[in-house]
Amino acid sequence: CNLDRTSFELGGLITHDSCDTITEFTDKITQHYTRAAMSQFLHFVFGAEILGSPISLVSNLGTGVKDFFTEPAQGFTRSPAEFGVGIAKGTSSLIKNTTVGIFNTTSKFTGAIASGTAALTFDDKYQLERDKTRVKEKPKHAGQGLRFGAKSFGKGLFHGVTGIVTQPIQGGREQGISGAFKGIGKGVAGAVVKPTVGAIDSVSKVTEGIKNTAMLWDEEEKKKKRLPR
């Protein structure tokens, strides 16, 4: 299970002038780390891709809303012109972080659903090829997201159709008649599942590309600030 923006940390227990018995002290340590572990477990759960990484969504939305109010407020204390700039910055941050949060969540959720659905093909070679493609093809912007998305759908459709023929042949070569019958089952299942996975992957790629487009604007702003004057 992939996790997004999630770390595992257990805070230490600090005591001063403790007069506890060994049993009481042991209970105190146990309770402290039990609570800490449960808290971290919830962070892991809500950072899981199958849930769309809600921690990331809440974090981005929170940042956008905070900037929307604080940027104009800070500008207001300086001058009317700075107030206008603050409104622009706050609005820009709200739009950007909302876009990143929503499309990041959608991308991760659909990607996780597609991975789970791909397992229903029972085709290890197809799943391995798909995993390699997911790692290799990371859209940097919306244009690439559309291109990779169309490619994912096309490959899913292609593998689904051709699998009706290739799976029984491959099964027959490896395991004889029983393998051929298994291949027929895989081919029929793949004819439905693989195009479905391709369609879901295409949504994941497009939404990831839109998210990265929003983040790309932020990177460009950072580069401008680093340029020498």
Side-chain angles (χ1 to χ4, degrees):
C1 178
N2 292 326
L3 300 169
D4 184 38
R5 297 176 65 174
T6 305
S7 60
F8 188 83
E9 298 177 356
L10 294 178
L13 174 64
I14 301 175
T15 62
H16 298 282
D17 302 322
S18 177
C19 297
D20 297 330
T21 64
I22 294 179
T23 302
E24 291 172 340
F25 189 65
T26 301
D27 289 342
K28 186 180 292 185
I29 293 175
T30 302
Q31 291 175 8
H32 171 78
Y33 283 107
T34 298
R35 286 194 297 267
M38 285 300 297
S39 176
Q40 288 299 307
F41 173 73
L42 292 176
H43 275 76
F44 271 93
V45 169
F46 289 107
E49 284 192 359
I50 189 61
L51 298 177
S53 188
I55 283 180
S56 177
L57 174 61
V58 172
S59 175
N60 280 290
L61 291 178
T63 299
V65 172
K66 178 179 73 66
D67 289 347
F68 182 71
F69 289 103
T70 59
E71 289 290 348
Q74 291 175 1
F76 182 76
T77 60
R78 300 189 187 102
S79 68
E82 288 291 330
F83 177 63
V85 172
I87 292 177
K89 285 184 177 179
T91 303
S92 175
S93 177
L94 179 62
I95 294 173
K96 185 205 74 175
N97 282 288
T98 300
T99 301
V100 170
I102 292 175
F103 284 99
N104 179 57
T105 295
T106 304
S107 174
K108 291 186 178 300
F109 179 73
T110 52
I113 293 296
S115 294
T117 306
L120 299 177
T121 63
F122 303 103
D123 186 343
D124 294 336
K125 183 179 179 181
Y126 162 74
Q127 292 182 61
L128 180 60
E129 182 181 339
R130 176 182 169 275
D131 289 340
K132 287 181 178 179
T133 300
R134 286 190 69 198
V135 173
K136 183 179 179 181
E137 296 183 349
K138 295 285 188 181
K140 296 179 180 179
H141 49 75
Q144 279 192 347
L146 288 169
R147 181 159 61 88
F148 291 159
K151 184 178 178 181
S152 294
F153 179 68
K155 289 178 71 173
L157 190 61
F158 175 78
H159 285 301
V161 173
T162 58
I164 297 175
V165 177
T166 59
Q167 287 294 334
I169 295 174
Q170 182 181 342
R173 287 175 178 172
E174 295 176 354
Q175 299 179 343
I177 296 177
S178 63
F181 278 105
K182 289 180 181 177
I184 292 174
K186 286 183 179 181
V188 172
V192 177
V193 176
K194 290 176 182 178
T196 302
V197 172
I200 301 173
D201 273 336
S202 68
V203 174
S204 180
K205 292 296 184 183
V206 170
T207 52
E208 184 179 3
I210 294 173
K211 177 208 73 173
N212 288 337
T213 297
M215 295 182 70
L216 193 62
W217 293 339
D218 196 38
E219 289 297 320
E220 289 297 323
E221 288 299 320
K222 290 180 180 178
K223 287 180 180 178
K224 290 179 181 178
K225 291 179 180 179
R226 288 197 295 264
L227 289 175
R229 296 180 180 178

